[in-house]
Every structure is written in structure tokens, then in C-alpha cells.
Amino acid sequence: LYILIIFSQSKNTFVLLREIIELTLNLLPNILGFCIGGYALIIGIGNIEALKKMSSPMKKRDNLSFFQILSSVFAGSLVLQCVTLLFSFIINIILKLEIPAVSNLIATIINSVVIIAVLFLSTLSIILLYYTVINLFNYGQSMHFLIRLEKIEQDEEIGRVNTVINLLEEELKNLKIIIEGLTKIINEEDALKEVMKTELKKIKKEYDVPRKT
């Protein structure tokens, strides 16, 4: 307000208002475009699985998810910037009409109120731009962490699959050896006799009972 009073004393409030409106109309579309682009980047290019994990409620944030908080900051910024831009556009049209003032005092008061409103809305838009950048950075870091976590989980899963494959291959080798041995017994009489001798010796050793007579 102090700066505004100084400006009001040094130049006409109508001229000051026009300069502020022109500056706002030149600056705000770029800020609005940046926010829309950042939000579109999050929605359109984000990894679906990562977004699902970001949508999990957080107890420390009143069961709001990180994605909800991120979206609310973007939505708040976009709404405020749209309102500021629309308000400045309407004021700019009114200024171009050059409507004659009934009283210089009333005109000065109205111009001052409009200047304060535009400066307030523009300042909030710029402040929210800072939080938007912070949110984009946090989103990028979170996405990087979740992608790395997914990669680690995939590597662990691949490791478990490889372990199972190795066990199955070892079992297959053992089964092949058993099959070869059984096939040899079936096809070769000498092998069959050898097995019979071995088994009979085992039975004799296990159930050996001395004669009683």
C-alpha cells in the first residue's frame, strides 16, 4: 500500500492502472501456459503404476494421497491465474472504452482499488507458481524413486525365476539319469541280473535270520 501511495502521488492512477494491466496481460499467459503444461505432463506422460502408488492415502496428510495434494496445488494455481487473467482482460476492455469519470476523486478511488486487486491476484499467482515448481520437482523425484523401486522388484523377481529354473534343470538332469538307468535295466539282461543280485543282497542283509534247526 505504501508503494502504491508513492506511485499514486507521482503519476495518474489511470496511467498506472493501464501499465499494470498491460504487464499482467503480458506475463500471466506465460505463467498459465507453464502450469497447464506441467499438469498435462503429469497426467499424460506419468507411469500408470507409479500414479497408482501415488494415489495411496497418507495418514499424516488426513488420508489424502500425494497425487491429490499435487493436483490440488495445480488446480488452485490454474483457477487463480484464470481469474486474474479474466479480471485483467475485462479491466483492459473498460480502460480502452475511456469512460469519462463523474469525479476525479471517485475515479482515483476506483482505480486504486482495482490496482490493489490486480496486484494482489498477480502476486498470489506468482507465489503459487513457486509451489507449482516445487511440486513438479517432488513429482519428478517421486517418479524416479518409484521407477527405481519397480526396477529393483523386477530384478528380484527375475532372480527368483532364475533360481526356480536352475532347480528345475537340476531335477531334470537327475530324472534323465534315473530314466537312463531304468531303460538300461529293461533293455539289458546283464543289467537286470545285476540289479536283482544287489536287491537280493540288501534283503538278505536286512532280514538275515539264523536257522534254528
Side-chain angles (χ1 to χ4, degrees), residues 195-206:
V195 171
M196 291 175 65
K197 288 179 182 179
T198 304
E199 292 299 322
L200 287 172
K201 286 179 181 179
K202 287 182 180 179
I203 293 171
K204 182 180 179 181
K205 185 177 180 181
E206 187 174 352

Side-chain angles (χ1 to χ4, degrees), residues 94-142:
I94 294 174
L95 291 176
K96 289 183 180 298
L97 294 176
E98 296 184 355
I99 301 173
V102 178
S103 168
N104 288 333
L105 178 61
I106 295 175
T108 300
I109 293 173
I110 293 174
N111 290 339
S112 300
V113 170
V114 173
I115 289 171
I116 292 172
V118 172
L119 287 177
F120 176 75
L121 292 173
S122 300
T123 303
L124 278 182
S125 299
I126 294 172
I127 291 173
L128 283 177
L129 178 63
Y130 166 78
Y131 289 103
T132 301
V133 172
I134 295 298
N135 272 323
L136 278 175
F137 175 77
N138 290 335
Y139 171 78
Q141 293 295 100
S142 300

